[in-house]
Amino acid sequence: MFNFTTVAQILWTSLATSSYYVLFAVAFALVLKVNGVFNFAQAGLMTIAFYSAHAAIAGLGVSGHMALAIALVATLGSAWGLEKFGFASLRRNHASPMFVFIFTIVASEFIAYVAMLLFGTWPKTIFAQLFWPVRLVADIAISAWDLPAIATTFGMLLGLWLFLRFSRWGQFMVAVSDNAELAELYGINRRQIYLLTMLIAATFSTAGMFLYGTRAQVQPLTSLEIMLFAVLATILGGIGRIWGAAAAAVLLGVVQNSSILVIPSEWQGFLLYVFLFATIIFFPQGIRLPALKRRLAR
Amino acid sequence: MDYVYSIIIQIGLFVILASSFNLIIGYGGLISIAHPIFYGLGAYTSGLLARDLGVPVPLTIIAGALLAMLASVAMALPALRISGDYLLIASIGFQLGMIELIKNLRFTGGASGISGIPAFLVPSFGRGSYVLLVCAVALAVVGLVRWIAHSDYGRAISAMRDDEQAFAALGRDAKWIKLSIFAFGSAIAGLAGALYAHYFRFVTSEQFEILMSSTILTMVVVGGLNTPWGPVIGAILLQLLPQAITFLNLPPVVLGPLQGLLFTGLVLIFMFLRPGGLVRADGQWRATGSRQGGG
Amino acid sequence: MLEVKSLSKSFGGIVVADNVDLVMRPGRIVGLIGPNGAGKTSLFNLISGLYAANAGSVTLDGTPLDGLALHQRARRGLARTWQHVRLFPSLSVIDNLIIGARTYPAESLLRLLFEPGKIRAAGAAATAKARDVLARIGLPDAADKSIGDLPYGQQKLVGVARALMNDARCLLLDEPMAGVEGQAYQAMQRIVREVAAADVAVCVVEHNIAFIRDLCDEAVFMFQGRILARGSVQDLIANPELTELYFGH
């Protein structure tokens, strides 16, 4: 059971599959950091991304790239609507965090129900086939999906890092995440930044969902389940730390997949929740609470 | 007639669930999605104790409520020691994690759940008696919530919601108050679960999943957070509405999502157009029987 | 008596308290003055337990308060007011006071359910006391009013009244006079003197120098988290260097 090949295979596969978890975690962590919101509506965006891509291919017969583009447009548009008509409105009305939370969860559920009505609850995928050619490298099976997935994730993370570090808008985002009121005094338009953050999160969600949906089956409620992974990674990585969330997502993915070596498969899902409670009980300091302010006050 | 009894009992149980959830989220200001799991824990505990160990049902019902309460304390204590935000996260983990646990354990029947739960009252006194029981409990719960809200305790939680820090600086232990509201509300949910188990006699984890959170949440938000009667109106409306759509004779594959769409759509509409809910809360706290009126 | 010894606190690179020593004796009113950002309110926040200090200690009547949470310090007889009042808008004036009593048995759900007699008795006692305090501050008819109906000066008086419900051994007043004038001003002065006369240690943060001069037995000048000078109010006000720091800033 514990021979090198098996372990290496599991490590490789879990590394590759943690790629989409990283994208979801970073999207969630970014919105939390800059907009100060636990954006559970991200699940809704993920649902829209998947089903647009699926419908484009199954219904219109377009290519994979075209489907991705269509999914991106749909998701960006939805994120725009969510921010303009949802969050901005709640902000204007000084809605309590309770209300914002309710809004994000309910929005995702609403979208899930629409998907159920339009597409049914049968599992679907983006491409008609989930088959990807496999190559053996030193006895380890590497699927043709793995490298592009890892490369995409790495590329997007790099892009985000460069953006936040060197671009004007990226710097504005960091400023707003630090102190939104102060940033406004310096002439930064908070509302535009909040919108930008949502759009970036939508992009990451689309990419992640495209990766996920080309490797596994998706039902209308799947994205809500995947979201928990993103939330857990965000907490473990430290609220306010985007790269911490990314690292945690990889760690969680690897640990969860590798746990097959020591525990029966039906308990793999449960392991995550054990981690969650262990984190809250033993590592609360790793989670920087004071950074979590009520930024929807004005 | 049996069908009508079932509906009334479902409504009664949801009134209990919505009222107790309102205590936690409306009055206590705590954000949690784990209410369904405490409902489920009460159902499983009572059902298993009665079926497998032969414990008399009234005792198992109490045991169900107690277990739900203890579980809620175990969940909330580490989280509330840090802050209310962590309660939300802990509740998500607990709700989903416990479902996973129940699905994997043998003695809970795994994913198939437990059946053959002993009936209570019905064999001796007929279904109508159980309806009366549930309605009585529902009324008692609503009355209790109302009484608590207007009591000296209610004054404290109102102040706590206004400004927790200033409240603590007066010498009030806000964390303990939050924990006790959470535990009490969850115990009531457990009680409701036990009542469910001994009428419908069949319990699976599927019945207590995250989507039930949104149902209860909808009832409270649409009915009116922070008022004793809001959740009652919410529960009644939102149990009757789906019954109304059933008469449209749509295929089940459309009916389920349509119902979900209706619930979530209602919440969204109410959130933006009438945030106070159907029964608006008065911004001011008043003691019971004060001249300015209570309620 | 409240004793602060070598209290220090910094947030990241910002030092808000630097080795602060301070004693507040029963019956005496200490004035804490200094420019904005000197750390006066932060010192109150450290003493009352809002922030945990990095070093040093706070002792109340011999009992160390270190490691105790906000509510635990209040229960031992430390009361404070806030710069921005922070009354509870959902409660009436008298309810705002009642909730400020040092012990409030109804905060326990168990006691509410199982000791209704005790709760009723405590409630009646607190209500009577609250009416008494309201009369003392000159607002006997404000009991059932809502906070929003009161002019700002009266709100500040109610804030002090709420702190008085604690029967505190030490009272910290954070800018009680800011935005207050006329009758409320006179009332505030009178109250603070009465409280001190009842053997309570009082410390007042204020920018209103006239108030400090009329009321305080001694003054302490803070700047950038440090105590630069202490002595009689007259001496501190007359010191040109301090004046420079205060107004030059």
Side-chain angles (χ1 to χ4, degrees):
Chain A
M1 249 281 250
F2 279 90
N3 66 66
F4 173 76
T5 316
T6 319
V7 173
Q9 177 72 68
I10 290 180
L11 280 177
W12 172 257
T13 311
S14 49
L15 192 71
T17 52
S18 61
S19 58
Y20 36 73
Y21 286 134
V22 168
L23 293 174
F24 297 138
V26 167
F28 189 76
L30 187 67
V31 175
L32 182 56
K33 183 182 169 77
V34 181
N35 297 20
V37 183
F38 278 111
N39 183 24
F40 292 104
Q42 182 179 316
L45 292 176
M46 286 157 60
T47 307
I48 291 174
F50 173 78
Y51 281 102
S52 324
H54 165 81
I57 293 185
L60 302 173
V62 301
S63 72
H65 293 111
M66 198 55 196
L68 179 59
I70 292 177
L72 192 62
V73 169
T75 315
L76 286 174
S78 308
W80 179 85
L82 204 66
E83 169 58 33
K84 272 279 182 277
F85 302 113
F87 290 116
S89 173
L90 289 170
R91 236 177 263 130
R92 256 197 315 273
N93 294 321
H94 305 293
S96 64
M98 166 92 53
F99 251 50
V100 177
F101 154 72
I102 293 175
F103 168 67
T104 58
I105 286 249
V106 171
S108 281
E109 288 169 353
F110 183 83
I111 294 171
Y113 287 124
V114 172
M116 267 187 237
L117 276 175
L118 293 177
F119 299 99
T121 53
W122 238 209
K124 304 236 168 15
T125 56
I126 290 183
F127 294 130
Q129 292 249 32
L130 276 184
F131 173 74
W132 292 86
V134 167
R135 239 180 3 171
L136 278 180
V137 175
D139 273 350
I140 299 176
I142 298 191
S143 141
W145 180 94
D146 294 348
L147 286 172
I150 297 179
T152 309
T153 304
F154 193 73
M156 290 189 73
L157 287 180
L158 185 64
L160 181 65
W161 182 78
L162 290 170
F163 180 74
L164 288 175
R165 205 76 186 318
F166 298 112
S167 83
R168 214 174 104 231
W169 285 100
Q171 308 259 324
F172 288 172
M173 276 173 70
V174 176
V176 169
S177 74
D178 256 346
N179 188 331
E181 279 93 19
L182 192 60
E184 273 208 319
L185 287 176
Y186 281 99
I188 298 174
N189 186 330
R190 268 207 283 191
R191 275 170 296 280
Q192 281 183 346
I193 296 297
Y194 292 148
L195 180 61
L196 179 62
T197 311
M198 287 294 293
L199 294 176
I200 295 178
T203 310
F204 272 69
S205 300
T206 308
M209 218 48 199
F210 198 84
L211 287 177
Y212 189 93
T214 50
R215 200 209 169 84
Q217 294 178 321
V218 171
Q219 293 171 301
L221 289 172
T222 307
S223 38
L224 265 168
E225 288 157 18
I226 307 178
M227 270 303 291
L228 265 319
F229 205 101
V231 175
L232 182 51
T234 301
I235 299 167
L236 277 178
I239 292 181
R241 291 182 269 193
I242 301 171
W243 314 114
V250 176
L251 184 68
L252 279 176
V254 169
V255 171
Q256 192 187 26
N257 270 284
S258 319
S259 65
I260 193 79
L261 292 169
V262 283
I263 60 175
S265 65
E266 60 270 21
W267 289 102
Q268 279 187 301
F270 185 64
L271 199 62
L272 270 178
Y273 305 110
V274 175
F275 282 162
L276 181 62
F277 275 90
T279 308
I280 292 181
I281 296 173
F282 298 115
F283 307 112
Q285 299 312 315
I287 304 166
R288 243 185 284 129
L289 185 62
L292 192 66
K293 292 197 195 78
R294 305 289 187 235
R295 278 191 212 118
L296 289 181
R298 251 171 295 278
Chain B
M1 204 54 205
D2 274 3
Y3 176 70
V4 175
Y5 283 157
S6 290
I7 304 281
I8 300 179
I9 289 180
Q10 298 257 40
I11 293 179
L13 290 175
F14 270 105
V15 166
I16 298 173
L17 282 173
S19 291
S20 50
F21 191 56
N22 189 26
L23 191 60
I24 293 174
I25 173 177
Y27 289 106
L30 300 168
I31 308 181
S32 154
I33 61 150
H35 219 51
I37 201 64
F38 299 116
Y39 183 52
L41 284 174
Y44 268 96
T45 304
S46 191
L48 285 171
L49 281 176
R51 186 190 74 172
D52 296 344
L53 295 180
V55 180
V57 173
L59 287 177
T60 62
I61 293 181
I62 296 175
L66 272 174
L67 189 91
M69 183 172 79
L70 288 170
S72 72
V73 171
M75 183 205 108
L77 192 58
L80 283 175
R81 247 202 250 124
I82 311 170
S83 90
D85 296 312
Y86 284 80
L87 188 68
L88 167 61
I89 294 162
S91 75
I92 298 175
F94 197 76
Q95 168 71 37
L96 294 170
M98 285 305 292
I99 296 275
E100 276 297 308
L101 187 65
I102 292 173
K103 276 202 257 205
N104 285 329
L105 290 174
R106 231 168 343 138
F107 77 91
T108 57
S112 341
I114 53 175
S115 56
I117 297 174
F120 178 59
L121 287 189
V122 176
S124 326
F125 302 107
R127 295 190 181 274
S129 65
Y130 211 88
V131 174
L132 284 173
L133 174 66
V134 172
C135 289
V137 173
L139 272 169
V141 168
V142 175
L144 186 62
V145 170
R146 185 173 180 279
W147 179 74
I148 290 177
H150 291 287
S151 68
D152 291 347
Y153 188 80
R155 178 193 289 119
I157 57 185
S158 194
M160 184 177 78
R161 265 202 334 273
D162 278 344
D163 189 333
E164 191 183 323
Q165 217 174 57
F167 180 70
L170 296 173
R172 311 281 80 85
D173 192 345
K175 293 197 168 134
W176 180 252
I177 292 177
K178 287 178 170 174
L179 187 66
S180 29
I181 290 180
F182 192 75
F184 191 64
S186 305
I188 298 178
L191 173 68
L195 288 173
Y196 174 90
H198 293 290
Y199 185 82
F200 295 99
R201 308 181 60 196
F202 171 62
V203 165
T204 72
S205 59
E206 248 177 31
Q207 297 160 333
F208 311 111
E209 293 201 331
I210 205 167
L211 286 183
M212 192 194 252
S213 298
S214 66
T215 308
I216 303 176
L217 190 64
T218 309
M219 289 174 180
V220 174
V221 169
V222 168
L225 273 168
N226 220 322
T227 71
W229 293 107
V232 179
I233 309 278
I236 295 176
L237 264 178
L238 289 164
Q239 281 297 289
L240 291 179
L241 265 171
Q243 302 302 325
I245 338 176
T246 331
F247 288 109
L248 291 173
N249 273 324
L250 294 161
V253 84
V254 173
L255 205 59
L258 191 62
Q259 195 168 306
L261 208 63
L262 201 68
F263 278 20
T264 51
L266 270 173
V267 176
L268 290 173
I269 292 173
F270 268 83
M271 281 190 73
F272 290 97
L273 294 181
R274 199 185 160 96
L278 287 170
V279 182
R280 280 245 177 85
D282 198 341
Q284 288 292 108
W285 177 84
R286 291 189 225 293
T288 328
S290 72
R291 255 168 296 128
Q292 288 131 316
Chain C
M1 174 167 92
L2 187 97
E3 275 188 83
V4 176
K5 281 209 188 91
S6 315
L7 205 63
S8 299
K9 176 73 178 178
S10 58
F11 290 108
I14 307 171
V15 176
V16 296
D18 188 354
N19 239 310
V20 174
D21 289 315
L22 190 58
V23 179
M24 300 170 203
R25 294 188 175 78
R28 289 175 70 77
I29 306 174
V30 177
L32 192 54
I33 58 179
N36 280 324
K40 310 186 294 294
T41 299
S42 300
L43 184 62
F44 273 15
N45 289 342
L46 283 165
I47 295 172
S48 60
L50 205 68
Y51 313 147
N54 292 133
S57 70
V58 180
T59 318
L60 179 62
D61 286 345
T63 320
L65 296 180
D66 313 303
L68 291 182
L70 208 52
H71 71 276
Q72 291 167 314
R73 298 188 192 206
R75 289 234 183 109
R76 278 167 176 73
L78 180 64
R80 68 165 295 172
T81 61
W82 306 88
Q83 230 174 322
H84 302 293
V85 195
R86 296 177 79 169
L87 291 173
F88 305 117
S90 70
L91 302 184
S92 66
V93 169
I94 195 163
D95 284 320
N96 263 276
L97 263 57
I98 295 173
I99 196 78
R102 194 188 302 189
T103 56
Y104 190 83
E107 80 180 84
S108 156
L109 189 55
L110 282 170
R111 293 180 85 170
L112 178 80
L113 294 171
F114 299 115
E115 291 181 353
K118 279 214 184 109
I119 300 288
R120 247 194 315 272
T127 309
K129 181 168 174 168
R131 290 204 186 276
D132 188 55
V133 172
L134 276 178
R136 276 172 61 194
I137 65 168
L139 294 174
D141 301 321
D144 296 320
K145 292 205 176 138
S146 82
I147 303 300
D149 292 338
L150 294 180
Y152 187 68
Q154 290 185 1
Q155 286 184 27
K156 291 209 88 158
L157 278 174
V158 173
V160 175
R162 186 177 64 177
L164 292 180
M165 290 292 292
N166 183 301
D167 275 339
R169 304 290 311 130
C170 175
L171 183 62
L172 307 173
L173 298 169
D174 200 344
E175 297 196 37
M177 301 319 295
V180 176
E181 22 179 47
Q183 268 194 327
Y185 187 102
Q186 315 287 0
M188 195 70 88
Q189 272 205 335
R190 185 175 44 82
I191 298 287
V192 178
R193 279 214 188 87
E194 276 174 21
V195 170
D199 243 18
V200 176
V202 182
C203 183
V204 182
V205 164
E206 253 309 326
H207 284 289
N208 186 321
I209 302 297
F211 186 80
I212 300 271
R213 196 186 49 218
D214 291 341
L215 219 61
C216 299
D217 302 304
E218 58 187 284
V220 166
F221 189 98
M222 270 190 89
F223 183 71
Q224 290 182 347
R226 286 182 358 260
I227 293 188
L228 289 190
R230 358 169 159 242
S232 76
V233 181
Q234 283 301 109
D235 290 343
L236 256 61
I237 292 177
N239 185 324
E241 282 158 16
L242 296 180
T243 315
E244 167 75 40
L245 283 172
Y246 202 125
F247 294 106
H249 255 257

